[in-house]
Amino acid sequence: WEVRKKTLGEDHPETLISLNNMAVALFRQGNNVQAEALYRQCWEVQKKTLGEHHPETLHSLNGMANALSCQGNNVQAEALHRQCWEVRKKTLGEDHPETLRSLNNMANALSSQGNNVQAEALYRQCWEVQKKTLGEHHPETLHSLNGMANALSSQGNYVQAEALHQQCWEVRKKTLGEDHPETLISLNN
């Protein structure tokens, strides 16, 4: 990143890709404060150079929101996920996988705040569309199903939650195998 910044300039697309890649690496290592700072820096430059609606700008915004969520800043994360979702709805359409990912992320942030009624509604909305567009067995569809089950459980709707957790576990067991981490998460739920 530093070399590209010196040779190409801070605003060059290749420099921004390197900066974003550094943020991703830090995020994956659990360095969420540093990742957030780099995502934010990248996002600020991308807004000016690429525009607020550019896919790369939204990718940085989403990364920043995820880093904030991992730090426990779920109110801020929700606001950024909502912003990202609104733009993606307009530019990509409501059924696009990136739009649905933003919707699911917003539901995660709401759930982390204890807003499980709202979270359940968003998980359900996301799950219904993902079933049609990605298929019932797609990992992202199952993430939404699992999130919806968790939100129902948090509301005390244990019978509904158990049925959805069972459904998720059965599909993951068939598609991923009994020992896959996602299958084991479903079994634990």
Side-chain angles (χ1 to χ4, degrees):
W1 176 72
E2 291 294 335
V3 173
R4 285 188 174 176
K5 185 174 151 185
K6 287 178 187 174
T7 57
L8 301 173
E10 183 181 47
D11 297 352
H12 193 279
E14 293 298 319
T15 305
L16 295 173
I17 288 171
S18 294
L19 181 60
N20 189 71
N21 288 344
M22 282 178 44
V24 169
L26 288 166
F27 180 78
R28 288 182 180 162
Q29 293 170 14
N31 296 328
N32 297 306
V33 173
Q34 290 175 294
E36 177 206 341
L38 293 185
Y39 278 127
R40 188 177 302 278
Q41 182 180 350
C42 193
W43 177 64
E44 291 292 345
V45 175
Q46 288 170 326
K47 281 193 308 182
K48 293 175 194 167
T49 59
L50 301 173
E52 290 189 37
H53 296 166
H54 192 279
E56 292 300 321
T57 307
L58 295 172
H59 181 72
S60 295
L61 178 62
N62 186 66
M64 183 172 46
N66 286 334
L68 284 164
S69 185
C70 287
Q71 294 173 60
N73 296 330
N74 291 299
V75 173
Q76 286 179 284
E78 177 202 344
L80 296 182
H81 283 306
R82 187 175 303 278
Q83 180 181 344
C84 193
W85 176 64
E86 291 291 345
V87 173
R88 284 178 168 166
K89 263 194 327 184
K90 290 176 188 168
T91 59
L92 300 173
E94 289 190 33
D95 296 351
H96 192 279
E98 291 295 324
T99 306
L100 295 171
R101 193 169 294 121
S102 291
L103 181 61
N104 192 69
N105 288 342
M106 190 168 44
N108 289 339
L110 285 164
S111 181
S112 294
Q113 294 172 61
N115 295 332
N116 289 298
V117 173
Q118 288 178 287
E120 178 207 342
L122 296 185
Y123 283 129
R124 187 176 302 278
Q125 179 183 345
C126 193
W127 177 64
E128 291 293 343
V129 175
Q130 287 171 326
K131 283 192 307 182
K132 295 174 189 166
T133 59
L134 300 175
E136 290 189 41
H137 297 164
H138 192 279
E140 292 197 28
T141 306
L142 295 172
H143 279 291
S144 295
L145 177 61
N146 191 64
M148 182 170 50
N150 288 335
L152 284 164
S153 180
S154 293
Q155 294 172 59
N157 295 331
Y158 301 118
V159 174
Q160 285 180 289
E162 181 183 2
L164 295 181
H165 279 306
Q166 179 75 26
Q167 180 182 346
C168 190
W169 177 68
E170 291 290 341
V171 173
R172 283 178 169 167
K173 190 170 71 170
K174 287 179 194 171
T175 58
L176 301 174
E178 289 186 21
D179 296 331
H180 191 278
E182 294 291 324
T183 306
L184 296 173
I185 288 171
S186 290
L187 179 61
N188 186 50
N189 289 333

